[in-house]
Amino acid sequence: MSCWTIYPNGGLSGSVMGTRYEALTDAVAVGRQVYCFRGYYYNGTPQVEVHIFNTVTLLWRKLPRVTIGTWYWIRAATAVLIGHAIYIWGRHHHGSTLYAFDVHTHSWSKPRVFGRVPTPWYPGRYQSTCVLGNAMYLYDTKMNRHSRPRYTNDLYKLDTATMFWALVNTSSGTSSSSHHSATIVGTKMFVFGGQYHSSVVRSHDNDNNNHILRVFDMETNCWLRTASEQFLPKRCGHQSAFAHNGELYVLFPKTSNGLWKMNPETFSWKKLEPKGKGPSNKFRRWSLVGDRVVLFGRGITPHDLHILDLRPSLEILCKVAVTQYGLTESVLRRSIRLELSKMTYQQQQ
């Protein structure tokens, strides 16, 4: 059994009031905390802030903002944790950028990289990153304009011990052009979603073409499977994919509790029915912390914080019952009453 809980106004709100251009770049779980990186323009200069969310106390703290990177990097970047460093990768029209953020010292650096660095193209949801061991893998799709127009399927590997980039695999034909996710389950990478393109570039068609599943074997360095999962929700693309207990989970926020999981051995899908009401389509970033998935909003207006408990404890279920049925809280200890005051429970509509 799983359940959703909502913490009204518990998400990231606009810390730079009055600025239009602001985006939650990415979020990474570090122990029981979640590091959120948000970029914006401040007095005409690209800035980045680091917000840290404690999943135990449900409290935020913000580190001082710094001037770093470019506007394109701030808006179109992915982040992964390897060791005690969070590597943030972004690309733009004029190049590609890798930054490292040390979670111990809260210091920034720009590592010097070698090898075949991924080539730049349009900044946006055309890249997905995942981690296996000490390596970051970047699944990169971009339009090849030098020959017959099509989207490429390039997989790059960054060895963080040597900071050496290598092109692991490239293939043509069926590909996902954008809005995809890359998730490691065991020694395989599952690329899910994206607009579907067979050879000639087509217009984006979210209604029918965004449920392509591609599987890459990290041991043999080859693609194993490409399939269209036609039975999944057709109205929208997914926003989150993650691995938990050896299975792949995919979240479709625009549908009614659109949470699915897949067995990577049998490729069989199962629709889950969490209790409570899931998030809207405005929740773009997530982090898996233990058995809980934390989803954050985007933009400069306050958003609620949603938490999905995949294996809710008895304590969580009791808190949900108190909130759901309006039970008396006077006999509860102060710390529990404080958490309940930040929490709400809505039934699935």
Side-chain angles (χ1 to χ4, degrees):
M1 186 185 72
S2 54
C3 69
W4 287 103
T5 50
I6 308 172
Y7 296 83
N9 297 323
L12 280 172
S13 61
S15 60
V16 186
M17 301 306 295
T19 182
R20 260 186 87 186
Y21 303 105
E22 179 175 20
L24 179 58
T25 299
D26 213 345
V28 179
V30 181
R32 294 294 173 180
Q33 299 185 114
V34 179
Y35 284 67
C36 297
F37 299 87
R38 185 166 63 175
Y40 54 89
Y41 265 132
Y42 183 76
N43 290 336
T45 304
Q47 305 279 324
V48 63
E49 286 181 345
V50 181
H51 299 250
I52 304 175
F53 178 69
N54 189 313
T55 61
V56 177
T57 63
L58 303 177
L59 297 176
W60 286 94
R61 65 187 179 104
K62 183 178 71 173
L63 302 182
R65 64 174 180 262
V66 298
T67 302
I68 188 172
T70 66
W71 177 234
Y72 287 119
W73 168 79
I74 290 174
R75 289 184 59 86
T78 58
V80 297
L81 174 69
I82 301 178
H84 58 85
I86 296 176
Y87 293 93
I88 303 178
W89 166 261
R91 61 181 181 177
H92 46 85
H93 291 291
H94 305 292
S96 305
T97 307
L98 178 73
Y99 287 95
F101 178 81
D102 192 303
V103 298
H104 291 163
T105 63
H106 292 170
S107 59
W108 288 91
S109 63
K110 188 176 181 180
R112 185 181 180 186
V113 296
F114 308 90
R116 186 166 178 174
V117 180
T119 56
W121 180 237
Y122 182 76
R125 301 184 185 92
Y126 290 78
Q127 56 190 12
S128 299
T129 53
C130 53
V131 173
L132 183 60
N134 291 322
M136 178 178 78
Y137 288 84
L138 172 70
Y139 177 69
D140 189 41
T141 58
K142 58 183 176 294
M143 186 185 297
N144 180 0
R145 292 182 178 272
H146 300 293
S147 58
R148 186 182 181 184
R150 66 173 55 200
Y151 280 86
T152 61
N153 297 302
D154 296 341
L155 179 62
Y156 293 88
K157 174 184 176 181
L158 174 65
D159 187 334
T160 57
T162 61
M163 286 299 159
F164 188 85
W165 279 104
L167 179 61
V168 178
N169 184 282
T170 179
S171 61
S172 59
T174 303
S175 66
S176 297
S177 66
S178 64
H179 296 77
H180 47 67
S181 61
T183 307
I184 295 290
V185 183
T187 59
K188 295 181 176 61
M189 179 183 70
F190 292 81
V191 178
F192 186 81
Q195 280 78 35
Y196 174 81
H197 297 268
S198 56
S199 58
V200 179
V201 176
R202 299 173 55 186
S203 61
H204 291 181
D205 185 357
N206 283 323
D207 291 335
N208 301 310
N209 298 323
N210 57 359
H211 301 319
I212 304 299
L213 175 68
R214 311 188 75 222
V215 184
F216 185 83
D217 192 321
M218 297 296 192
E219 296 181 327
T220 61
N221 286 343
C222 64
W223 293 99
L224 301 180
R225 173 189 171 101
T226 299
S228 178
E229 312 297 345
Q230 298 293 339
F231 55 89
L232 293 176
K234 298 296 189 295
R235 291 183 58 245
C236 63
H238 78 300
Q239 291 184 351
S240 305
F242 56 91
H244 182 259
N245 286 344
E247 293 183 299
L248 177 69
Y249 287 75
V250 179
L251 176 64
F252 298 87
K254 290 184 182 179
T255 60
S256 180
N257 265 348
L259 180 66
W260 293 71
K261 73 173 180 178
M262 188 200 73
N263 186 311
E265 300 296 330
T266 63
F267 292 98
S268 58
W269 290 87
K270 178 182 179 181
K271 187 177 188 300
L272 304 181
E273 300 287 351
K275 292 182 175 294
K277 185 179 180 181
S280 70
N281 64 323
K282 293 182 179 180
F283 288 79
R284 296 295 187 183
R285 298 302 180 201
W286 62 273
S287 284
L288 178 65
V289 182
D291 295 324
R292 311 177 84 187
V293 183
V294 184
L295 283 92
F296 305 98
R298 63 176 183 174
I300 62 174
T301 57
H303 287 289
D304 297 341
L305 174 79
H306 281 63
I307 294 181
L308 172 64
D309 279 283
L310 298 172
R311 298 177 60 184
S313 63
L314 180 60
E315 179 182 355
I316 290 294
L317 293 177
C318 290
K319 291 176 181 177
V320 168
V322 171
T323 305
Q324 180 181 1
Y325 299 108
L327 304 179
T328 180
E329 304 177 12
S330 59
V331 296
L332 302 176
R333 66 174 184 264
R334 184 176 180 275
S335 60
I336 295 180
R337 295 200 307 270
L338 181 62
E339 181 176 349
L340 289 173
S341 66
K342 303 177 182 178
M343 173 179 164
T344 186
Y345 179 88
Q346 297 179 13
Q347 289 284 10
Q348 177 184 350
Q349 295 179 350

